[in-house]
Amino acid sequence: MKKISILGVCALIGLGAAAQETVLKDAEKLMKKGATLTEVEAAVKPAMSDAATQNEAMTYYLPGKAGFNEYDNGVAKEALGQLSDEEKVGRAKALLQGYNYMMKALPLDSVVDEKGKVKTKYSKDIINTVGGHFNDYYSAGAELYNGKDFAGAYDLWGAYAALPSMPTFAKAIPVMPSDTVVAEVMFNQGLAAWQGDDFNGALKAFMNAKNHGYTKKNVYDYGIAVATQAGNDAAVNELATEAQAKYGDEDPNYIGYIINGYIKNKQYQQAIDAIDQAIAANPTNSQYHVIKGILYEQDEIGKDAMPEYEKAVELDSHNASALYQLGRMYNNKALNIYNDAPNDNAEFNRVFNEEFKPVMLQAVDLFERSLAIDEDNIDALKLLENAYYLLNDDANLNATKARLGGN
């Protein structure tokens, strides 16, 4: 009884393996007849989940080949002017799927012949097919990007960026791209991931682009943006530190990110040291003094920020941020005078006219100058509205309300 039982099990296993080999043969016939990727995938699907065939190269080579064939058919149709935009997206997706299947098949491709020697059956065709379509990964990625398949575009551009560094495909790539081109494609990957709200993927791509030589200002700006959205403080600091060294003279925001990182970690002295170093390196940069003033206003530091804002305005009288911050200082000073004025009418009027009004008018002047440069500063408009109210200036109060109403 035991023998029959064991033989029965063996027979079942043998039948299962034979059945899956038949599935693969049928799928191969479909592929050679020009069946679509979807049709070949459906035919080969049972083999992908069967232990006897799920690790065979043929299981993935067949749909891979079908995907590349479908893409090539689309190229031929386009040459005849018979391919719609929707079909362009479809062929690009087929190319991506074909690539993924081929890359899965390649490491599985080993066949033992009757002499016991290990050989490959599909590797040559896989390498030539994948490498020969190298430039198509870039153009098809653009088609997916335009079709709003951002994940697909990311993956196809990833294939374009990765293949040149793989020795296996070196001879099959028609023309090897320069490092500059590869880095730019990595940057495009970052844009695609960002469009798809994949902030970690975008950050990875921007970092890859930077590390491959793409060091234009936008890779730092975009990298910081997605790192911030991903909550990756370490990456923000790394990018901001590099960008500060390269572009700090033209963009003071980088030192701001660095300082914010220090403040977040309660490293206040390091924050002060960082802005002092930036000022020492570029003493005429008005915005650095604005940043230092804001830093000084932190409760944990509590230093007088007004001299920094005054220095910022002195260095650049058209710095809207500096004008606003200095105006805010005068506004606060005027409010303190107003709130501390005595209740006696005569004395209140004296303080109002001699002490409060001159200071508040300085604030008003600074707010108006700032708004002439940056008219969308709602905070400045609100403070200006309150200032005109306290000054009993109905005409300017109404005008300011109207400006706020338009915002």
Side-chain angles (χ1 to χ4, degrees):
M1 289 297 292
K2 286 184 179 179
K3 253 187 188 179
I4 294 172
S5 176
I6 291 171
L7 286 172
V9 171
C10 291
L12 286 173
I13 292 174
L15 285 172
Q20 296 312 320
E21 291 297 334
T22 300
V23 163
L24 291 175
K25 291 295 183 183
D26 290 342
E28 184 177 30
K29 290 177 183 177
L30 278 174
M31 184 271 289
K32 289 181 176 180
K33 287 181 180 179
T36 65
L37 169 60
T38 301
E39 291 169 335
V40 175
E41 277 183 314
V44 82
K45 188 175 181 180
M48 292 181 178
S49 57
D50 190 278
T53 50
Q54 64 184 4
N55 291 317
E56 284 192 19
M58 186 180 185
T59 303
Y60 307 99
Y61 169 79
L62 294 176
K65 190 69 173 178
F68 278 96
N69 288 343
E70 189 168 320
Y71 177 80
D72 290 341
N73 290 336
V75 171
K77 285 182 68 177
E78 183 181 26
L80 299 173
Q82 299 174 349
L83 197 71
S84 67
D85 289 341
E86 184 178 353
E87 288 173 319
K88 287 180 181 179
V89 171
R91 74 172 181 184
K93 289 182 177 181
L95 179 68
L96 175 57
Q97 290 175 277
Y99 172 85
N100 288 335
Y101 278 126
M102 288 294 210
M103 295 301 279
K104 189 168 185 178
L106 185 60
L108 300 175
D109 187 30
S110 60
V111 179
V112 181
D113 64 15
E114 59 276 4
K115 295 180 180 180
K117 188 175 181 180
V118 177
K119 296 183 176 181
T120 59
K121 184 175 182 179
Y122 303 107
S123 291
K124 184 177 180 180
D125 187 53
I126 292 172
I127 292 167
N128 289 335
T129 300
V130 170
H133 284 80
F134 175 72
N135 290 318
D136 296 317
Y137 305 132
Y138 180 81
S139 57
E143 288 171 349
L144 291 184
Y145 185 93
N146 293 333
K148 301 192 184 306
D149 181 354
F150 301 118
Y154 182 94
D155 289 341
L156 274 176
W157 286 334
Y160 183 96
L163 282 176
S165 64
M166 299 181 188
T168 301
F169 297 95
K171 292 182 179 179
I173 294 175
V175 178
M176 194 67 72
S178 66
D179 291 341
T180 300
V181 170
V182 171
E184 288 176 349
V185 171
M186 290 174 172
F187 177 78
N188 288 341
Q189 269 192 288
L191 295 178
W194 195 3
Q195 286 290 313
D197 291 334
D198 178 7
F199 304 124
N200 287 314
L203 177 60
K204 179 181 177 181
F206 288 139
M207 292 295 247
N208 284 339
K210 176 180 70 68
N211 293 336
H212 281 77
Y214 187 101
T215 55
K216 295 179 182 178
K217 187 175 181 297
N218 57 0
V219 80
Y220 294 102
D221 294 340
Y222 296 170
I224 289 170
V226 296
T228 300
Q229 289 174 292
N232 191 329
D233 294 338
V236 170
N237 184 69
E238 177 184 342
L239 289 163
T241 301
E242 284 188 37
Q244 174 64 21
K246 292 178 181 291
Y247 302 107
D249 288 350
E250 62 184 89
D251 190 339
N253 288 319
Y254 302 124
I255 192 66
Y257 286 114
I258 294 168
I259 288 171
N260 284 340
Y262 283 131
I263 291 173
K264 194 171 185 178
N265 292 314
K266 302 186 184 304
Q267 297 171 304
Y268 302 110
Q269 188 55 53
Q270 289 94 324
I272 292 172
D273 291 344
I275 192 60
D276 282 342
Q277 288 172 12
I279 291 172
N282 189 355
T284 61
N285 190 310
S286 170
Q287 194 63 21
Y288 285 166
H289 289 278
V290 174
I291 293 171
K292 188 173 182 180
I294 294 171
L295 177 60
Y296 274 6
E297 288 192 69
Q298 300 296 309
D299 289 340
E300 294 81 359
I301 298 173
K303 290 189 177 182
D304 185 8
M306 183 174 277
E308 295 303 324
Y309 298 140
E310 288 175 333
K311 183 65 175 178
V313 172
E314 177 188 328
L315 289 170
D316 182 3
S317 61
H318 292 89
N319 183 334
S321 176
L323 291 165
Y324 164 70
Q325 297 295 354
L326 184 56
R328 191 170 55 78
M329 291 289 100
Y330 277 105
N331 179 77
N332 292 344
K333 183 177 179 181
L335 290 177
N336 287 335
I337 295 170
Y338 188 92
N339 292 330
D340 292 341
N343 292 327
D344 178 76
N345 286 340
E347 188 61 17
F348 176 86
N349 289 333
R350 184 195 67 77
V351 171
F352 181 91
N353 290 303
E354 295 179 10
E355 298 179 33
F356 165 76
K357 189 173 182 179
V359 177
M360 186 57 89
L361 286 174
Q362 284 182 286
V364 165
D365 176 65
L366 289 161
F367 289 146
E368 290 285 16
R369 287 166 60 191
S370 176
L371 286 163
I373 301 165
D374 179 14
E375 63 182 10
D376 295 324
N377 187 337
I378 302 300
D379 291 332
L381 281 170
K382 288 180 178 178
L383 290 175
L384 189 60
E385 177 189 26
N386 188 61
Y388 282 134
Y389 171 78
L390 294 175
L391 288 166
N392 300 315
D393 187 341
D394 291 340
N396 281 313
L397 173 61
N398 292 331
T400 305
K401 286 182 175 179
R403 291 161 73 181
L404 275 168
N407 287 274

